[in-house]
Amino acid sequence: MVTRIPLQLLDCLPKAGTEPLARTTAETMATALKAVADPTRLQILAMIAASENQESCVCNLTEPLDLTQPTISHHLKKLAEAGLISGERRGTWVWYSLNRERWIQIANLFNA
Amino acid sequence: MVTRIPLQLLDCLPKAGTEPLARTTAETMATALKAVADPTRLQILAMIAASENQESCVCNLTEPLDLTQPTISHHLKKLAEAGLISGERRGTWVWYSLNRERWIQIANLFNA
DNA sequence: TGAGATTATAGATAAGTATCTATACAGACA
DNA sequence: TGTCTGTATAGATACTTATCTATAATCTCA
């Protein structure tokens, strides 16, 4: 099972006159950003988004990305931990879909 | 001297029906995101932004962050390579300031 | 020019992580 | 139940990187 990283940091980025960014807050933010700061994971996100119904099983990702199945699973786990995707088992396959609210949440880190 | 990472990727993030995200594009994006996916660098950005005139010399960053001067210089170099800050020598000190256009550019990666 | 102060670089080290192979787990179905 | 397929986990390895100490480079000023 995957544990999500909590995030309540919408008001903490570079702005004049604010108080210093607390270390723990900075670390939480960095953890979220690290999840998307990887080329393979960006490709996975893009592939899921471009798929029909905006979901994809692991098997559809492995071949185009030219990586082994365990490596893809590793990246999917990272993305799930960051709350960016969710997996749902339907029969033999596990279907991953985007959590767009979470994507927007991370995007907002830049707008504060 | 610092070399900037080129970036022309405003139209490449998760959206249904788009074509696959090219590896080279994904790598360029990931490089930009990695620059901000670090707690110390987020704190540095916040400190510069909160400083008077929104600039800071290295000496003002070292003590509050409880890191050695070379470590701070290392992170400043990473941020400069990503185009997020610029350093200007004025006398003995080097003053770093934010490149807000670049910050917005990276933020836009999430809005495409 | 020489001394002192600030910043950058070089080199070493430890921690993190992306990848692989091997294997376990879970569901479908005969 | 047993076998096959799809996915997850364990463990190993190589690469990256954040940090340190030591030192070089740059500027000021006496």
Side-chain angles (χ1 to χ4, degrees):
Chain A
M1 207 41 190
V2 156
T3 53
R4 282 220 195 161
I5 300 156
L7 191 87
Q8 30 343 40
L9 4 118
L10 298 183
D11 53 339
C12 37
L13 264 189
K15 197 183 323 187
T18 53
E19 38 187 82
L21 178 54
R23 182 69 188 183
T24 52
T25 307
E27 284 170 352
T28 307
M29 292 175 63
T31 301
L33 292 171
K34 270 188 222 285
V36 291
D38 178 274
T40 298
R41 289 196 284 273
L42 287 170
Q43 287 185 294
I44 289 175
L45 289 170
M47 288 183 68
I48 295 176
S51 300
E52 207 159 341
N53 295 342
Q54 294 174 49
E55 63 180 6
S56 176
C57 67
V58 181
C59 56
N60 287 336
L61 299 169
T62 304
E63 190 220 308
L65 291 176
D66 197 30
L67 291 168
T68 64
Q69 174 268 318
T71 298
I72 300 296
S73 272
H74 161 77
H75 286 299
L76 290 169
K77 188 177 182 180
K78 290 269 186 180
L79 288 170
E81 283 171 351
L84 279 162
I85 61 174
S86 304
E88 181 195 357
R89 176 149 231 144
R90 289 210 292 276
T92 306
W93 298 273
V94 177
W95 294 87
Y96 282 93
S97 56
L98 299 179
N99 298 334
R100 292 191 173 272
E101 332 73 51
R102 175 57 168 167
W103 178 266
I104 291 166
Q105 211 178 14
I106 292 180
N108 281 339
L109 292 180
F110 289 89
N111 300 330
Chain B
M1 205 42 190
V2 157
T3 53
R4 283 219 195 164
I5 300 156
L7 191 87
Q8 51 306 64
L9 3 117
L10 299 182
D11 54 339
C12 37
L13 264 189
K15 200 183 319 187
T18 54
E19 38 188 81
L21 178 54
R23 183 68 188 182
T24 52
T25 307
E27 285 171 350
T28 306
M29 292 176 64
T31 301
L33 291 171
K34 268 187 222 287
V36 291
D38 178 275
T40 298
R41 290 195 283 273
L42 288 170
Q43 287 186 292
I44 288 175
L45 289 170
M47 289 182 67
I48 295 176
S51 301
E52 206 160 340
N53 297 340
Q54 294 174 48
E55 63 181 6
S56 176
C57 66
V58 182
C59 57
N60 287 336
L61 300 169
T62 304
E63 190 221 307
L65 291 175
D66 198 27
L67 291 168
T68 64
Q69 173 269 316
T71 298
I72 300 296
S73 273
H74 162 76
H75 287 299
L76 290 169
K77 188 177 181 179
K78 290 268 186 182
L79 288 170
E81 282 171 353
L84 280 162
I85 60 173
S86 305
E88 180 197 356
R89 174 150 232 146
R90 289 209 294 276
T92 305
W93 297 273
V94 177
W95 295 87
Y96 282 93
S97 57
L98 299 179
N99 298 334
R100 291 189 173 272
E101 331 73 50
R102 176 58 167 167
W103 178 265
I104 291 166
Q105 211 178 15
I106 292 179
N108 281 340
L109 292 178
F110 290 89
N111 300 329

